[in-house]
Amino acid sequence: MQRRIVSRVDPRYKQLRAQNNSSVKKSRDRARREREETITSINQLEEDNQKLVQNLQIIRQEYEQLQILFKQHTGVDIDQMIGPEPKSTTPEIPMPSIQPSVESLSKPVLTINTIEDKSTSNNEFDVNNLDGSIVLINGVQYKIVGLDKA
């Protein structure tokens, strides 16, 4: 494609220059707007990812506490019941290591309500008396039922 050459003395020169300048301005504005939208989108995705990673950390803590509670209650290690993890054909996605904040460490992840007298328990409970206890996880109540009742 050959470029058109218009001399500066041509009466259409100013009109063509104005049209070109307008096109360049529109193109630059569109590119700037697209860059800003991309940056906004990236920031939103990073924020969403951070929230998901924090939720994953909380869920892992809850899972570990439930494993401990299960082992204390039944005497059986949950990992022995499940066996080795099956090999996946999909590649593992490395999870970023996130240190829990002081604020999240002070908040209990797992709350257990028992029927024991709180004045004598001193925040300790007998794992053999957990039958019928209520476990509160993220606002959802679960009732512990012994293996012999299940």
Side-chain angles (χ1 to χ4, degrees):
M1 183 162 125
Q2 193 173 5
R3 186 174 166 172
R4 293 184 298 180
I5 299 175
V6 179
S7 84
R8 291 182 182 227
V9 291
D10 191 340
R12 296 181 305 145
Y13 178 77
K14 285 186 178 182
Q15 178 188 3
L16 292 173
R17 291 302 312 143
Q19 183 179 3
N20 180 265
N21 290 344
S22 174
S23 296
V24 168
K25 184 178 178 182
K26 284 181 186 178
S27 174
R28 289 178 181 163
D29 288 344
R30 185 179 63 244
R32 184 178 306 114
R33 187 175 56 250
E34 288 174 357
R35 264 194 320 271
E36 289 170 356
E37 288 172 357
T38 301
I39 289 171
T40 302
S41 175
I42 288 172
N43 290 338
Q44 181 64 42
L45 289 171
E46 286 176 344
E47 185 179 314
D48 291 346
N49 186 48
Q50 185 68 21
K51 288 178 184 177
L52 289 172
V53 168
Q54 289 173 350
N55 286 342
L56 180 64
Q57 184 71 21
I58 290 170
I59 289 170
R60 282 184 179 162
Q61 289 174 352
E62 290 174 356
Y63 177 72
E64 290 170 4
Q65 289 183 357
L66 286 172
Q67 278 185 318
I68 292 168
L69 182 65
F70 182 81
K71 186 173 183 178
Q72 289 174 343
H73 184 66
T74 63
V76 178
D77 189 6
I78 193 81
D79 291 332
Q80 291 174 348
M81 289 177 62
I82 296 173
E85 291 185 21
K87 291 186 178 180
S88 174
T89 57
T90 59
E92 283 289 318
I93 300 171
M95 295 305 296
S97 122
I98 294 183
Q99 298 296 326
S101 66
V102 174
E103 179 182 293
S104 69
L105 288 176
S106 64
K107 259 181 20 181
V109 176
L110 179 64
T111 304
I112 301 175
N113 297 328
T114 64
I115 53 175
E116 294 180 9
D117 183 15
K118 290 186 180 184
S119 62
T120 61
S121 68
N122 295 331
N123 290 335
E124 295 181 11
F125 51 88
D126 183 12
V127 295
N128 297 321
N129 293 332
L130 287 179
D131 254 359
S133 297
I134 305 296
V135 179
L136 183 66
I137 302 174
N138 286 343
V140 179
Q141 293 184 351
Y142 299 92
K143 186 173 185 178
I144 297 178
V145 179
L147 291 177
D148 53 357
K149 292 183 183 180

